[in-house]
Amino acid sequence: EYMGNSERKDMASSGRGSRYAPADRLAGFDAPTVWHEFTPLAIEHNAVNLGQGFPDWETPAFLKEAMVQAMDNNENQYCRSAGHRKLVDAVAARYGGLMNRQINPLDEVLISVGGTEGLFLALQGLVNPGDEVIVFEPAFDIYAAQIQMAGGVVRHVPLSPVTAQDGTVQWTFDPTVLSGSFNDRTRAILVNTPHNPTGKIFNSSELQMICDLVQSHPDVVAISDEVYEYLIYDGHAHIRLCTLPGMWDRTITISSAGKTFSCTGWKIGWLVGPKHLIQCAAIAHQWVCFSVSTPSQVAVASALERAQQEYEGFPSYFDYLCHMYKSKREKLATALREAGLKPCMPQAGFFIMADISEAPIPEAYLAPGVSRDYAFCRWLTKDIGVAAIPPTSFYCEQNKAVGANYARFAFCKSDSLLDEAAIRLSKLKALSKK
């Protein structure tokens, strides 16, 4: 499960204990994770796996063709550490328009091994032992682990579900809790917008609050994880934190090709920001992996340009992608409603958090000490044949109760798989009537 620094350290014995024990900075990392349980469980019970967040369809042909062309052109050797010139140029051009500024491709862009290494580099380059990093949760479980490896301490700010006047559920934070999390030890705030797993887009007032707090603490840097930036629904606007007044010089923006081009295994990401912050990450990068896959970078550079052109009857590939995901969101949300669950419609991304508070979970699964979401997801996988993820795994211990009545479902799956999931989920409706 998701663990904060203190919880991980509690699991570690004092001293090494063995000459082959992991270093202290890895304390607790060998504990079983939610993925260790539910991926094998889904396979064992032949469940439709709506737990893991990766597409199950082919990567776009134009991207694969670009990869072949890059290899045929002998783009197969090391390139510059900070990124192949073609890709940093393409990223600078694309994000210059999105961020309303001229971006220097040579010192304001860094290419990483996916967004994951990008975050690792930012933390390694900026965080000293004892520094605090503010994280909104539920949070991608890698966040806390990477902060710990940098020697930092996680300060958790929970996002809680609130029912709006129109009946929709929105996830928001307590401004008092956020402001109280800043202190003289704060080094960074990590903002994931659009947010995984809630599908929340941080709105302008929330971002301005973050901006004001960062600017009132001169040593704090904002790290903005925006890998779901193109999956925006229902007319919502994705506001980039770095575009707020005074925030360019204080923000590193991270994104990647994996979610956008359905190529999560390629692991091509990038960091965009001011020279003085990108340089910190670049220094770490050259001693971690030096450079990233050359043909993959060249192919993604071509894809970023191609994606802005007409595609499958849409003005651009980005428009097509958003339309496709929106239809899948509707398909899964309908299936969840008809099963008697209450989906919280995401504003972005490809996950749905569903309210399971009224689900008829068998008593056998509700053992003492087992949270409701874990009980539900185990029952759903074993007996119903659909795998989902319990969100408490993305909260620290003191905030787990916030997510205990929800389950996370992924809709980045083929329509045929979502249809099969709907058939299986329909069993829940019959059970709830008994």
Side-chain angles (χ1 to χ4, degrees):
E1 294 186 15
Y2 175 85
M3 292 180 291
N5 288 2
S6 61
E7 295 160 274
R8 292 183 190 278
K9 290 175 181 176
D10 287 345
M11 296 182 63
S13 59
S14 58
R16 284 194 177 275
S18 166
R19 70 183 65 183
Y20 304 116
D24 289 346
R25 63 181 168 274
L26 304 182
F29 286 8
D30 56 348
T33 69
V34 68
W35 315 111
H36 289 143
E37 175 175 353
F38 283 93
T39 299
L41 196 66
I43 294 171
E44 178 185 352
H45 294 275
N46 195 30
V48 174
N49 194 342
L50 303 186
Q52 290 185 291
F54 58 83
D56 65 350
W57 53 80
E58 288 195 17
T59 299
F62 65 79
L63 182 56
K64 292 187 287 186
E65 291 164 3
M67 172 71 98
V68 173
Q69 186 65 51
M71 291 188 290
D72 286 347
N73 289 343
N74 201 31
E75 296 277 12
N76 300 309
Q77 310 306 324
Y78 297 131
C79 66
R80 64 188 286 269
S81 180
H84 195 290
R85 185 60 194 262
K86 288 183 178 178
L87 183 52
V88 295
D89 283 350
V91 169
R94 176 66 181 165
Y95 285 83
L98 295 173
M99 295 175 174
N100 302 312
R101 65 181 304 112
Q102 188 78 24
I103 294 175
N104 187 327
L106 297 181
D107 56 25
E108 294 182 329
V109 178
L110 173 64
I111 306 305
S112 59
V113 183
T116 303
E117 194 220 5
L119 176 61
F120 181 80
L121 299 175
L123 294 168
Q124 290 292 324
L126 293 167
V127 175
N128 283 316
D131 285 349
E132 296 186 359
V133 180
I134 297 170
V135 175
F136 293 95
E137 55 179 13
F140 185 28
D141 50 4
I142 280 177
Y143 291 172
Q146 291 196 358
I147 292 167
Q148 177 177 321
M149 282 190 280
V153 177
V154 183
R155 294 276 289 192
H156 309 281
V157 176
L159 295 173
S160 300
V162 176
T163 302
Q165 290 184 345
D166 61 1
T168 61
V169 174
Q170 306 297 332
W171 295 79
T172 188
F173 58 86
D174 183 335
T176 304
V177 173
L178 177 61
S179 61
S181 299
F182 280 79
N183 57 59
D184 292 341
R185 297 181 300 278
T186 306
R187 179 53 170 155
I189 180 169
L190 209 172
V191 183
N192 176 206
T193 182
H195 183 261
N196 168 22
T198 66
K200 170 187 176 62
I201 298 175
F202 282 70
N203 61 40
S204 58
S205 62
E206 292 170 329
L207 291 176
Q208 187 60 55
M209 188 183 311
I210 294 169
C211 171
D212 293 341
L213 287 165
V214 168
Q215 293 185 356
S216 66
H217 294 78
D219 294 330
V220 175
V221 172
I223 302 172
S224 188
D225 178 353
E226 303 184 11
V227 297
Y228 297 97
E229 60 189 321
Y230 293 111
L231 307 181
I232 311 294
Y233 314 121
D234 305 329
H236 291 287
H238 169 46
I239 302 171
R240 298 172 191 276
L241 184 60
C242 70
T243 63
L244 272 64
M247 287 302 291
W248 169 257
D249 286 336
R250 307 286 294 274
T251 306
I252 291 179
T253 299
I254 298 173
S255 193
S256 72
K259 305 296 191 299
T260 301
F261 294 110
S262 304
C263 61
T264 57
W266 285 33
K267 300 299 289 181
I268 299 294
W270 45 83
L271 299 82
V272 179
K275 178 180 178 179
H276 58 272
L277 294 182
I278 294 299
Q279 184 178 33
C280 295
I283 292 171
H285 177 67
Q286 70 176 354
W287 298 109
V288 173
C289 64
F290 178 70
S291 66
V292 181
S293 166
T294 297
S296 301
Q297 289 190 66
V298 174
V300 171
S302 172
L304 281 173
E305 296 172 359
R306 171 65 182 86
Q308 298 176 61
Q309 302 169 16
E310 184 178 346
Y311 185 82
E312 297 290 340
F314 290 85
S316 72
Y317 169 79
F318 300 123
D319 293 307
Y320 160 81
L321 185 74
C322 189
H323 175 82
M324 176 189 68
Y325 269 112
K326 183 178 179 181
S327 67
K328 292 179 182 296
R329 181 190 69 159
E330 300 304 321
K331 183 181 286 287
L332 179 57
T334 298
L336 293 170
R337 288 191 197 95
E338 291 180 350
L341 304 178
K342 299 175 183 177
C344 306
M345 291 300 282
Q347 300 168 335
F350 52 51
F351 298 107
I352 291 180
M353 293 278 275
D355 185 335
I356 60 167
S357 58
E358 298 180 8
I361 306 171
E363 287 295 326
Y365 287 93
L366 293 168
V370 176
S371 61
R372 185 174 179 82
D373 62 329
Y374 262 83
F376 173 83
C377 289
R378 286 168 180 159
W379 168 58
L380 195 74
T381 304
K382 292 180 179 181
D383 295 4
I384 306 301
V386 177
I389 294 297
T392 56
S393 58
F394 304 131
Y395 283 94
C396 67
E397 190 63 39
Q398 61 264 35
N399 294 327
K400 286 185 182 297
V402 178
N405 281 319
Y406 293 87
R408 189 193 80 168
F409 295 84
F411 55 89
C412 51
K413 306 300 175 184
S414 66
D415 285 351
S416 60
L417 198 73
L418 293 175
D419 288 339
E420 177 60 27
I423 293 172
R424 299 185 184 194
L425 286 169
S426 66
K427 303 174 189 175
L428 293 178
K429 192 68 173 178
L431 290 172
S432 64
K433 293 179 179 179
K434 292 182 178 180

